[in-house]
């Protein structure tokens, strides 16, 4: 399995553009996948530099309904007219980030919801013997404090986002079970527990953000590190984990965790 980071907040060099967002290209024995798309055309620019042909992608999974993960959906659909694009059925609902008294729209382009390539998910969805989409994480242990400014609409009222629109992707290849989580808004420990229960075994690798970038409590981050390191898993994090809190995780977890900037190629 090959993973190429097309969009992330940082980059391995000035050759690659960087932006707040996430887009991962994954090539397996059977599939060419994009997990998230980032906010804009950057995924196309970096794909060209990294030798990825967007036209050849057969599967897209968008982890949740925020623009930094799916803002480039319209651009993808213009370039690739054959891939299935999997989003949770609630992904096109209104989502907001609150700054002081202002609610800033951070949702997806609702006009794209009727596109024929889009497949809406609800509950776990097994695509084939390689790919399973996991949804509906209910536990809230070690819930990210960085979620506190994120809202959704409940009728006409803005309420704290419950992230029922979030989904993860589990890829099985040989002895590997690779779990991809865009922001892990539901909490990476909770997502791992859900995947283990539903799939009958723990992941071997985890790739994605942990959404702790605004968490200013070193004790909370170290607690998370302790909970992750006891599992026989290799972690590759990025995006909303944040550089400072990644450093704390690395201090506790050593070589069990790595950071993935734009331009990285990972072989599993």
């Amino acid at each position: 399995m090959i993973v190429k980071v097309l969009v992330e907040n940082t980059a391995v060099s000035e050759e690659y553009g960087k932006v707040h967002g996430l887009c991962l290209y994954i090539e397996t024995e059977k599939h060419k996948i994009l997990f998230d798309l980032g906010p804009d055309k950057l995924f196309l620019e970096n794909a060209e530099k990294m030798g990825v042909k967007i036209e050849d992608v057969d599967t897209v999974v968008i982890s949740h309904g925020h623009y930094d993960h799916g803002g480039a959906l319209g651009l993808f659909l213009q370039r690739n007219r054959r891939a299935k694009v999997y989003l949770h059925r609630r992904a096109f609902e209104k989502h907001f980030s609150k700054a002081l008294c202002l609610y800033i729209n951070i949702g997806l382009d609702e006009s794209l919801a009727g596109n024929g390539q889009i497949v809406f998910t609800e509950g776990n969805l097994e695509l084939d013997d390689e790919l399973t989409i996991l949804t509906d994480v209910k536990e809230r242990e070690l819930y990210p404090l960085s979620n506190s400014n994120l809202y959704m609409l409940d009728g006409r009222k803005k309420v704290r986002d419950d992230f029922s629109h979030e989904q993860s992707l589990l890829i099985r290849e040989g002895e590997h079970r690779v779990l991809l989580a865009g922001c892990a808004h539901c909490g990476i420990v909770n997502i791992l527990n859900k995947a283990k229960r539903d799939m009958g075994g723990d992941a071997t690798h985890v790739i994605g953000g942990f959404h702790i970038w605004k968490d200013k409590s070193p004790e909370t981050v170290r607690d998370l590190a302790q909970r992750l390191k006891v599992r026989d898993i290799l972690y590759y994090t990025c995006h909303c984990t944040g550089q400072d809190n990644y450093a704390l995780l690395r201090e506790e977890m050593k070589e069990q965790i790595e950071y993935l900037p734009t331009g990285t190629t990972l072989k599993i």
Side-chain angles (χ1 to χ4, degrees), residues 101-113:
C101 295
L102 297 176
Y103 291 90
I104 302 165
N105 179 15
I106 58 170
L108 305 180
D109 182 353
E110 299 168 52
S111 70
L112 299 173

Side-chain angles (χ1 to χ4, degrees), residues 243-258:
Q243 294 286 329
D244 291 343
N245 283 336
Y246 165 69
L248 289 176
L249 293 173
R250 176 76 177 185
E251 187 177 317
E252 295 290 330
M253 300 173 67
K254 310 301 183 188
E255 288 78 16
Q256 196 177 354
I257 190 167
E258 300 283 350

Side-chain angles (χ1 to χ4, degrees), residues 3-5 7-12 22 24 206-208 235-239 243 246 258-266:
V3 180
K4 296 185 178 183
V5 185
V7 176
E8 201 270 331
N9 305 34
T10 64
V12 294
L22 186 65
L24 304 173
V206 170
I207 302 174
Y235 300 90
Y236 300 92
T237 195
C238 52
H239 181 47
Q243 294 286 329
Y246 165 69
E258 300 283 350
Y259 197 90
L260 294 180
T262 304
T264 301
T265 296
L266 173 67

Side-chain angles (χ1 to χ4, degrees), residues 22-257:
L22 186 65
C23 177
L24 304 173
Y25 170 78
I26 306 102
E27 192 167 321
T28 69
E29 292 180 0
K30 297 182 178 180
H31 293 285
K32 294 180 179 178
I33 305 160
L34 285 178
F35 184 79
D36 288 338
L37 295 169
D40 55 28
K41 65 179 181 178
L42 185 61
F43 84 104
L44 296 172
E45 297 172 357
N46 285 334
E48 186 174 353
K49 293 175 182 177
M50 297 189 74
V52 173
K53 294 183 178 180
I54 297 300
E55 296 82 358
D56 292 344
V57 169
D58 58 76
T59 304
V60 177
V61 176
I62 296 180
S63 61
H64 59 294
H66 290 172
Y67 81 96
D68 54 329
H69 294 259
L73 176 57
L75 292 172
F76 175 82
L77 293 171
Q78 291 173 18
R79 182 67 66 89
N80 182 312
R81 299 186 181 277
R82 72 185 189 95
K84 295 294 185 182
V85 181
Y86 295 88
L87 295 98
H88 192 274
R89 66 175 181 84
R90 301 191 65 181
F92 281 103
E93 294 180 4
K94 299 284 189 182
H95 302 287
F96 304 91
S97 175
K98 186 179 181 182
L100 299 176
C101 295
L102 297 176
Y103 291 90
I104 302 165
N105 179 15
I106 58 170
L108 305 180
D109 182 353
E110 299 168 52
S111 70
L112 299 173
N115 186 283
Q117 290 174 245
I118 293 176
V119 178
F120 289 110
T121 63
E122 184 175 12
N124 293 352
L125 178 62
E126 186 171 323
L127 304 185
D128 56 26
D129 59 352
E130 272 195 356
L131 308 180
T132 299
I133 293 173
L134 301 170
T135 66
D136 299 336
V137 176
K138 304 297 186 184
E139 295 176 8
R140 287 297 182 262
E141 187 178 2
L142 291 176
Y143 192 65
L145 299 176
S146 299
N147 286 336
S148 61
N149 69 320
L150 298 173
Y151 287 76
M152 65 182 188
L153 276 186
D154 183 6
R156 295 185 177 181
K157 184 180 180 181
K158 295 181 180 70
V159 299
R160 289 280 180 85
D161 202 325
D162 63 5
F163 299 104
S164 55
H165 56 104
E166 185 173 57
Q167 57 186 18
S168 304
L169 176 65
L170 184 72
I171 304 176
R172 295 173 294 270
E173 189 173 74
E175 297 180 353
H176 299 316
R177 296 182 301 280
V178 181
L179 180 70
L180 293 106
C183 271
H185 283 290
C186 292
I188 189 61
V189 170
N190 302 320
I191 294 170
L192 276 168
N193 289 342
K194 164 84 170 174
K196 184 176 182 178
R197 286 194 303 269
D198 292 359
M199 297 295 104
D202 225 339
T204 58
H205 302 74
V206 170
I207 302 174
F210 298 164
H211 206 71
I212 56 174
W213 65 297
K214 291 184 178 180
D215 194 328
K216 303 302 181 184
S217 169
E219 293 78 13
T220 303
V221 178
R222 292 184 191 280
D223 188 21
L224 175 61
Q226 293 300 320
R227 295 295 301 277
L228 295 177
K229 69 186 289 187
V230 297
R231 306 174 94 128
D232 187 19
I233 297 174
L234 295 176
Y235 300 90
Y236 300 92
T237 195
C238 52
H239 181 47
C240 55
T241 297
Q243 294 286 329
D244 291 343
N245 283 336
Y246 165 69
L248 289 176
L249 293 173
R250 176 76 177 185
E251 187 177 317
E252 295 290 330
M253 300 173 67
K254 310 301 183 188
E255 288 78 16
Q256 196 177 354
I257 190 167

